[in-house]
Amino acid sequence: MDKGKLNRIKAKMQEQGMPQMVISDPVAIFYLTGKWILPGERFHALYINLNDDDHFVINKLFPQTEDLGVPITYYDDVEDGCEVLAQFVDKNSPIGVDKNWPAKFLLRLQELGGGSEYRNGSIIVDKVRQIKDEGEKQAMRESGAKLDKVMDKLIPWVVKGLTEQELNAKCLELLKEEGFSGPSFDPITAYAKGAADPHHITDDSKGKHGDCVILDIGGMWKNYASDMTRTVFIGEVSERQKEIYNVVLEANKRGIEMAKPGNKMSDVDKACRDYITEKGFGEYFTHRTGHSIGLEDHEVGDVSLVNDEIIEVGQCFSVEPGIYIYDEGIGVRIEDIVLITEDGCERLNVYPKDDIIVVPDGE
């Protein structure tokens, strides 16, 4: 058990008057214990409280959990895991539960009278996870640097006649070659109108001369995600495409400039959105500016106009404005991950954003 992370969670529990909590999200449990436990349909629960009378309840199918640094109580398939948990719960106090805990377990605990009221405990865990410690920062730096190398190898393939699906497969191959344990999400590799559709599903389309190409890729390294988007053009770029690209690039840079302690997450979104709107493309920027990232590619804490949370040192999030004009077959998105520092932010992927034309061999 990582005592530092656990103490940060318990400090916030104290602040919010939440004396006990059930943590069931495998990602959150890994965050605290360093162990991946994927229970599938079976019940498991890390129970913590402010009296430090913590317990982990888990099925006997997972015996590798013996060294988690917390007392473990096992149950088997003919026992009720919720009944096992209920013996530890203070029935007269509020209890926090995981936002993704299956209703069949929550309802059963309620039937057993486990806790006087039920609250969303994930708010506390998610908030603590937003602030990366030194080990997490280093893993994310390494993940971002390795992704730069993958992007460098992937871009030349956009002019080799591959379909979107084949380009997607090539990306996965390159991630593996670079040492990633896997992708942090299914890569987005899209040509022309595919690039202009933010919800496009990769298909068997092929790129042609003059097409824009969106490459949105990410990998998992030492359990931490990387994520980056670059937009390139095959053979040449029209004046219209160049205009749109430069607007998105400037918006990306302005958003990064606002990513600093004391500003709000909404300030980052506003910096990007206001500039794109000023240039006449506001209706074509159809999504939020970014998302938090860490053990998962998308974590709680988005970069949007409605999120007025104050940015803190140690946070990691994306800055990824875009313009999508489907009728013209133009889609441009530029994404960087930033790590908030004492005086601003550090970009975790630094692959160039100005070299946007890819010329096929022989031209």
Side-chain angles (χ1 to χ4, degrees), residues 17-36:
M18 189 180 294
Q20 54 185 344
M21 184 188 302
V22 173
I23 300 173
S24 62
D25 179 5
V27 180
I29 290 174
F30 172 82
Y31 176 73
L32 287 168
T33 68
K35 291 281 188 179
W36 283 110

Side-chain angles (χ1 to χ4, degrees), residues 15 17 42 61 74 76 84 100 122 135 155 169 182 187 205-206 220-221 234 246 251 293 301 339 347 358:
E15 289 174 9
R42 289 177 170 84
L61 289 173
Y74 290 101
D76 60 33
V84 177
N100 294 322
S122 291
I155 285 178
S205 300
K206 290 187 176 182
M220 298 300 298
W221 171 252
I234 299 177
N246 286 335
I293 183 172
L339 168 63
R347 277 176 56 204
V358 186

Side-chain angles (χ1 to χ4, degrees), residues 313-324:
V313 174
Q315 284 187 274
C316 251
F317 54 82
S318 67
V319 180
E320 48 180 307
I323 293 174
Y324 312 91

Side-chain angles (χ1 to χ4, degrees), residues 145-299:
K146 291 173 75 66
L147 192 64
D148 282 344
K149 296 179 181 179
V150 174
M151 183 66 80
D152 189 52
K153 295 175 183 176
L154 179 63
I155 285 178
W157 284 92
V158 304
V159 295
K160 297 188 183 297
L162 301 184
T163 66
E164 290 180 350
Q165 292 174 342
E166 290 169 336
L167 188 58
N168 191 291
K170 174 56 67 174
C171 178
L172 294 174
E173 177 186 320
L174 293 173
L175 286 167
K176 185 176 180 179
E177 286 180 5
E178 193 54 42
F180 286 101
S181 60
S184 51
F185 57 93
D186 191 25
I188 298 173
T189 50
Y191 302 112
K193 285 196 171 183
D197 176 8
H199 293 284
H200 176 67
I201 298 174
T202 301
D203 58 29
D204 60 0
S205 300
K206 290 187 176 182
K208 63 184 184 301
H209 190 85
D211 276 355
C212 60
V213 187
I214 280 184
L215 303 171
D216 189 346
I217 67 174
M220 298 300 298
W221 171 252
K222 295 182 179 178
N223 296 298
Y224 282 83
S226 52
D227 190 354
M228 168 172 45
T229 307
R230 292 292 182 263
T231 303
V232 298
F233 298 87
I234 299 177
E236 67 175 337
V237 56
S238 69
E239 288 303 312
R240 174 70 165 172
Q241 290 171 330
K242 188 173 183 179
E243 175 193 14
I244 292 169
Y245 185 91
N246 286 335
V247 170
V248 174
L249 178 59
E250 179 63 23
N252 167 267
K253 291 178 178 178
R254 291 188 180 204
I256 291 171
E257 287 176 0
M258 292 300 291
K260 62 182 65 174
N263 284 350
K264 295 178 290 189
M265 297 288 265
S266 56
D267 293 332
V268 179
D269 186 285
K270 191 172 188 299
C272 297
R273 199 169 303 279
D274 283 358
Y275 182 74
I276 289 175
T277 300
E278 174 191 326
K279 293 299 181 179
F281 297 102
E283 66 181 292
Y284 303 110
F285 181 15
T286 54
H287 55 75
R288 64 189 180 188
T289 290
H291 56 85
S292 294
I293 183 172
L295 287 169
E296 298 171 284
D297 183 60
H298 280 223
E299 296 192 337

Side-chain angles (χ1 to χ4, degrees), residues 21-152:
M21 184 188 302
V22 173
I23 300 173
S24 62
D25 179 5
V27 180
I29 290 174
F30 172 82
Y31 176 73
L32 287 168
T33 68
K35 291 281 188 179
W36 283 110
I37 304 169
L38 305 176
E41 68 187 77
R42 289 177 170 84
F43 173 93
H44 79 161
L46 174 60
Y47 171 77
I48 62 176
N49 64 28
L50 296 181
N51 296 324
D52 295 328
D53 184 23
D54 305 330
H55 296 273
F56 194 48
V57 179
I58 191 165
N59 194 283
K60 290 178 180 178
L61 289 173
F62 305 94
Q64 75 275 20
T65 56
E66 293 175 356
D67 59 349
L68 292 184
V70 61
I72 297 174
T73 301
Y74 290 101
Y75 72 95
D76 60 33
D77 280 347
V78 298
E79 296 177 288
D80 185 339
C82 281
E83 283 189 353
V84 177
L85 172 65
Q87 67 181 306
F88 304 118
V89 173
D90 180 354
K91 296 176 172 54
N92 299 311
S93 298
I95 186 169
V97 296
D98 200 297
K99 61 180 181 291
N100 294 322
W101 208 27
K104 62 182 180 181
F105 299 138
L106 173 59
L107 292 171
R108 178 59 177 150
L109 186 61
Q110 289 176 326
E111 288 175 1
L112 295 167
S116 61
E117 64 175 287
Y118 295 80
R119 302 177 185 172
N120 181 1
S122 291
I123 295 173
I124 289 174
V125 180
D126 291 338
K127 188 64 179 176
V128 170
R129 280 176 55 188
Q130 283 183 354
I131 310 302
K132 274 52 180 179
D133 64 24
E134 292 308 313
E136 293 177 293
K137 292 175 185 177
Q138 185 57 30
M140 295 201 67
R141 288 187 182 103
E142 293 173 11
S143 192
K146 291 173 75 66
L147 192 64
D148 282 344
K149 296 179 181 179
V150 174
M151 183 66 80
D152 189 52

